[in-house]
Amino acid sequence: MSIRIGLIGAGLMGADHARILATEVPGVTLQYICDADAARSRSVADAYGAVHATSDPLAVIADKWVDAVLIASPDQTHAPLTKACIEAGKPVLCEKPLSQDSRECLEVIAAEVKGGKRLAQIAFMRRFDPAYVEMKAALDKGLIGPALMFHCFHRNVSAPANFTGQMAISNSAPHEFDIARFVLGADYAEISVFRPEFVDANKVGAPVFMVLKTVAGQLVNVEINNNAAYGYDVRGELVGEKGSVFLRSPIQSEIHVHLQAITAYPEDWRPRFAEAYRLQNSAWLKSIETGKPVGASAWDGYAATLVAEAGAESLAKGASVKLSLAAKPALY
Ligand code: ISE
């Protein structure tokens, strides 16, 4: 039976989720495309054969003809809409971050605990990326020995138009906060965030450099540069006592011409993580059928947001900030 999806948010990521659900994931009916911009929701609905276009997210969530909801609207809407889905008893895949405020994340968690079941999955799609999956498998099999350090680079061509303030930390970096925590299987104890001295701190997307220590004593360093200019480039190397695992990007070809070997960088994250999104969205749909949650939970969303808040505090204070999570409910 087809699962009827209400998709909220028809911007860059929402439109790509519509494409994925319409063309790469079997057994889906796009019941709604919802966006504050009515013309944009209509355009995406027409492009991918959705039944309805609307600008009312709460009506989408309440509609009995909607079985599940995918949230890809602006960050500040994620937590309240996810909470509304949980209270309506509907499975929801919410784009990261769950919120830029850890208190909002705890409200979502409280709603899930009250309902007694996990309904929310947070779209930390790198957990499904084949390269990161192989990295975690190598560690878990003991191939490189105990993990010591995890080096992460995350570079965008230029900061997205909607970026403000510390979104390098609160919007981009949560990917690294979550994937390193997932691969290492460890929470964080503290974070220090730095910025190159000569960089204009007020320039949106200005680079930040972070050093995190896990509760197990491992070190994670994260460079976020949202104005890298040359291409979209995400790198990682997990270093263990006996070896390391280097993250490879899915490069399909290399052009040999004029005494050069050329490989291309993608313009943004969608081509680089296309397979991760396809696998994530397929796994989400399967979890709706089986009732067995997969991927990142609302608790994982809270954990990433808490680190981002501490990171912004560390950058402002010029000092490391220690982290302590709330008590983890048994549901997670
Ligand atoms: C964006 O929201 C994403 O989630 C991308 O995966 C990430 O690379 C980018 O930095 C974020 O702004």
Side-chain angles (χ1 to χ4, degrees), residues 30-206:
L30 279 173
Q31 194 69 10
Y32 282 96
I33 301 294
C34 175
D35 195 275
D37 179 336
R40 189 157 73 174
S41 49
R42 170 48 58 199
S43 168
V44 173
D46 291 348
Y48 297 108
V51 178
H52 305 293
T54 181
S55 293
D56 184 348
L58 296 179
V60 171
I61 293 168
D63 190 318
K64 65 179 182 180
W65 297 106
V66 169
D67 302 308
V69 178
L70 197 159
I71 297 169
S73 41
D75 290 5
Q76 66 274 14
T77 67
H78 291 180
L81 291 177
T82 298
K83 186 163 175 277
C85 292
I86 291 166
E87 289 166 348
K90 297 204 176 170
V92 51
L93 176 63
C94 177
E95 265 297 339
K96 41 57 63 184
L98 175 56
S99 174
Q100 294 186 14
D101 181 338
S102 60
R103 294 165 301 181
E104 276 198 335
C105 296
L106 290 173
E107 288 170 11
V108 172
I109 288 166
E112 262 194 333
V113 169
K114 182 178 178 185
K117 64 184 287 193
R118 267 191 58 187
L119 286 171
Q121 179 180 336
I122 313 306
F124 285 121
M125 82 292 175
R126 294 191 191 181
R127 292 180 176 219
F128 295 86
D129 178 64
Y132 280 111
V133 169
E134 286 183 11
M135 176 184 276
K136 180 168 176 58
L139 177 62
D140 293 348
K141 289 174 190 165
L143 295 182
I144 62 169
L148 301 174
M149 296 169 283
F150 195 163
H151 304 297
C152 305
F153 295 67
H154 178 170
R155 298 171 177 165
N156 280 276
V157 172
S158 60
N162 65 335
F163 255 45
T164 57
Q166 301 309 339
M167 285 180 75
I169 301 173
S170 64
N171 178 281
S172 296
H175 279 300
E176 275 73 24
F177 298 154
D178 178 73
I179 196 63
R181 178 173 166 268
F182 175 65
V183 168
L184 295 171
D187 279 309
Y188 299 110
E190 67 180 291
I191 183 170
S192 299
V193 180
F194 310 90
R195 177 169 283 140
E197 292 295 334
F198 56 88
V199 165
D200 176 1
N202 299 311
K203 183 168 189 275
V204 171

Side-chain angles (χ1 to χ4, degrees), residues 304-319:
T305 296
L306 194 74
V307 180
E309 283 177 338
E313 182 186 347
S314 170
L315 181 63
K317 286 169 62 174

